[in-house]
Amino acid sequence: MQHIRFFAFTLLIALTILAGCTTTPRDRTPSSTELEARLQLQLAGMLDAGDYAGAAGLLENAALMSESPLREALLLKAAGYWLKAADQERSLRLVETLKPTPEPSDFNFELRMLRTELAVLQGDIEKALDLMQPEPSADTPLELRVHYHRNMAEIFRLSGNLLESARELDVLDALQAEDLEGRLATQELLLQTLSTMTDTALSLLQPQPPATLIGWMELARIVKQQISDPLALNKQLAQWRERFPDHPAMQPLLAGLLEQQGLTPDDHIAILLPRSGPYAKVATAVRDGFMAAWYQQPAEYRPKLQFYDTSTLQETLSVYQSALLNGAQMIVGPLNKDAVKMISRLELLDIPVLALNQIEAREDPFDARNPNLIQFGLAPEDEAEQIAERAWLEGHRSALILTPSNDWGKRLADSFRNRWIRLGGQVVEQQVYNPTDNDFSVPIRMLLNINESEARIRALVTQLGYKLEAEPRSREDGDFIFLAARSQKARQLRPQLRFFRAGHLPVYTTSHVYSGISDPTLDRDLGKIEFVDTPWLLEEGQQGALSRQELEKLMPGVKGAYARLYAMGIDSYNLLPQLRNLQDQPGRLFNGKSGTLYLDRDNRIHRLLAWAQMDQGLASISGYAPRLEMPGLETLDPSAKETIEPNLQPADPLPPVEDHNLSRPTPVR
């Protein structure tokens, strides 16, 4: 998937411009031809090595020895490579030195596209949309028109307008008729984009015939059902093709949907979960979600499952060995973070292991040895980073941070802060509160600088010698508040923020603010707080046996605090046949119940979540949390990374354990 920050300016275009430039060489300045040949050789080596900063520097140096218009062409390419090297500042600095030519030209178009991408990274979506106008004419070179519509699709995606993003991808698909590989990637992204939309949206937003987008929407509805019976899926795809015989969907795309049904009775899966101890109830929810997905597969296709008890940490490795000896071909688990560490330290993993927790590479460097270890957890760090990106794209620049004074709060604060700073944002104040308190006036007053305002009033009264009619004022340099709080505390904190005149500030928080149980009476106190969460938890009118509404009839626990873990269990099963594809294509998206999932280069699964809002005590999806880049896939500036490295404390990212009654999994028919 292409992202705005990493759009490439191809060497072919660069050399075409160079070849078309004529200059009057100065002393000791190479000719255009010589410069072209040398750049071609050096650039090719640098680009093959992924050294975009080196390529940018090379072009800048070449520009110093060149005349116009070659000089400007080289600087434009250099700016593009600085952006690919994640050095937004140097890219912007170069772009500001470049001026459009008086007459329309490809140079002007490329300059406009680069300015657009920089505007997006600065969070100015409106400016980006303005820069994208006008649309290129039909005689604009094909590669530039492809660039334009790819940019537009990404801008709409980042702004949460998935339908318009899909429209642009539909246009892009038509432009890529000669590029079969690129076209297939575009169609996959188009289908993934529409599959992220709710069934209601897919029904209500269909365009008028004969638009090809209608066929794409209907295909997305089939994908969203996650049909596990290959014969049933093949039948639905055949019926779809009969309805849309001239649709441009490529056969490899449809074949790929069938290949996803990869589990068979010959597959042997071992599940390592604790049956007792502090993680037993969490494990039960994950197991029941896993089993619900297993029961959805027709009996003749179901793989063999064998459960192993990992309640005792010391027995983790012996249980793993037992699973191997018993013929397991894949392992799901363990759940405990320390158990995952033990597995990661094995010199060799013989079979794929989908661990149900995550450890950071800096926390335990041994895990890098094991390409067969895939880590999947409901990491709150993903949520905090997506909140930072959403706030940035909404135009905010100054953040206030309020988190609990415990390890969980520190992890969320560090994740948010570091992502926010990397985007270019400023943290104007950060405070912590005691999660055991009920009165949060002290940290809130400090967060809003009310304490300093009161101190100034007292000093003035002392100096003047008489009482003043003055009220303390809250700070005005914060754009929004990043709040980390469980639902009960959030219901107390939000009214107190309003009391101290912070009611006008948007409040963004994580999924922990929502219990998963609709309770308008209690949640009314949250006001219009915004948060990221598991889409499966919030989508109304979901269809299919694995929808939350259907599973509630069979598993009462789905209504409780463990709902997100049921979604994780469903995804754990459905991910198994996808792991190889996800590993082969870092950044490839999988539309899961716990979010839109992808695997980074460190074999960690990340979730792209729904953006939700609480209004009148009711939670509903208002969009989707965008990503400017995908963790583990971007090229980072090493110096920038060092200055803001998160100081995360080792702690288990699982949600708090609360009592609930859970029946045994019942076959879903």
Side-chain angles (χ1 to χ4, degrees), residues 203-280:
S203 298
L204 295 179
L205 299 178
Q206 285 198 0
Q208 294 296 318
T212 57
L213 207 56
I214 299 175
W216 285 119
M217 287 180 161
E218 290 303 312
L219 187 58
R221 291 168 69 91
I222 295 174
V223 171
K224 284 173 65 66
Q225 294 178 42
Q226 293 185 332
I227 302 168
S228 54
D229 182 349
L231 294 178
L233 178 58
N234 189 46
K235 181 180 179 181
Q236 287 224 24
L237 292 177
Q239 291 173 343
W240 176 86
R241 180 55 82 185
E242 287 179 5
R243 289 182 59 197
F244 304 97
D246 299 322
H247 196 272
M250 299 172 68
Q251 187 57 35
L253 178 73
L254 302 180
L257 297 177
L258 287 170
E259 289 174 3
Q260 293 179 10
Q261 314 304 315
L263 296 178
T264 70
D266 295 329
D267 293 318
H268 180 176
I269 302 170
I271 301 95
L272 280 56
L273 291 172
R275 296 175 187 168
S276 60
Y279 297 105

Side-chain angles (χ1 to χ4, degrees), residues 114-139:
L114 186 52
R115 284 177 171 166
T116 297
E117 292 154 18
L118 287 166
V120 170
L121 289 174
Q122 293 168 336
D124 197 340
I125 297 295
E126 292 300 322
K127 179 181 178 181
L129 286 171
D130 288 342
L131 285 168
M132 292 297 287
Q133 301 304 319
E135 185 175 344
S137 61
D139 59 354

Side-chain angles (χ1 to χ4, degrees), residues 506-523:
V507 178
Y508 300 154
T509 186
T510 63
S511 63
H512 307 85
V513 75
Y514 181 51
S515 66
I517 305 171
S518 181
D519 194 334
T521 302
L522 288 177
D523 287 337

Side-chain angles (χ1 to χ4, degrees), residues 383-384 386-387 509-512 530-534 609-612 625:
E383 299 188 21
Q386 287 176 66
I387 289 170
T509 186
T510 63
S511 63
H512 307 85
E530 297 183 63
F531 60 100
V532 290
D533 210 335
T534 300
L609 301 169
W611 191 255

Side-chain angles (χ1 to χ4, degrees), residues 195-371:
S195 298
T196 309
M197 297 172 62
T198 64
D199 289 328
T200 302
L202 289 173
S203 298
L204 295 179
L205 299 178
Q206 285 198 0
Q208 294 296 318
T212 57
L213 207 56
I214 299 175
W216 285 119
M217 287 180 161
E218 290 303 312
L219 187 58
R221 291 168 69 91
I222 295 174
V223 171
K224 284 173 65 66
Q225 294 178 42
Q226 293 185 332
I227 302 168
S228 54
D229 182 349
L231 294 178
L233 178 58
N234 189 46
K235 181 180 179 181
Q236 287 224 24
L237 292 177
Q239 291 173 343
W240 176 86
R241 180 55 82 185
E242 287 179 5
R243 289 182 59 197
F244 304 97
D246 299 322
H247 196 272
M250 299 172 68
Q251 187 57 35
L253 178 73
L254 302 180
L257 297 177
L258 287 170
E259 289 174 3
Q260 293 179 10
Q261 314 304 315
L263 296 178
T264 70
D266 295 329
D267 293 318
H268 180 176
I269 302 170
I271 301 95
L272 280 56
L273 291 172
R275 296 175 187 168
S276 60
Y279 297 105
K281 294 175 182 177
V282 169
T284 299
V286 174
R287 180 206 66 198
D288 286 358
F290 187 94
M291 292 303 299
W294 183 79
Y295 277 121
Q296 273 306 289
Q297 195 158 353
E300 62 269 26
Y301 296 112
R302 292 173 190 159
K304 177 183 178 182
L305 304 182
Q306 193 162 4
F307 288 82
Y308 295 83
D309 185 9
T310 55
S311 301
T312 305
L313 180 64
Q314 291 76 10
E315 296 180 357
T316 299
L317 296 182
S318 63
V319 169
Y320 167 77
Q321 293 296 336
S322 296
L324 290 181
L325 291 173
N326 290 333
Q329 297 166 313
M330 287 183 280
I331 289 178
V332 177
L335 182 66
N336 181 283
K337 177 177 280 192
D338 290 330
V340 177
K341 286 183 184 178
M342 294 177 70
I343 294 291
S344 75
R345 288 170 176 163
L346 292 174
E347 232 176 274
L348 177 67
L349 291 180
D350 300 293
I351 60 176
V353 176
L354 179 63
L356 300 177
N357 213 322
Q358 293 182 344
I359 56 176
E360 294 295 330
R362 58 180 167 272
E363 192 178 315
D364 193 339
F366 293 98
D367 68 331
R369 299 178 183 173
N370 300 316

Side-chain angles (χ1 to χ4, degrees), residues 461-472:
V461 168
T462 301
Q463 184 178 2
L464 297 176
Y466 57 85
K467 186 176 181 180
L468 294 174
E469 294 295 330
E471 291 187 3

Side-chain angles (χ1 to χ4, degrees), residues 69-83:
L70 177 60
R71 175 182 175 277
E72 288 75 17
L74 290 169
L75 290 177
L76 179 60
K77 299 304 170 187
Y81 286 130
W82 280 126
L83 193 58

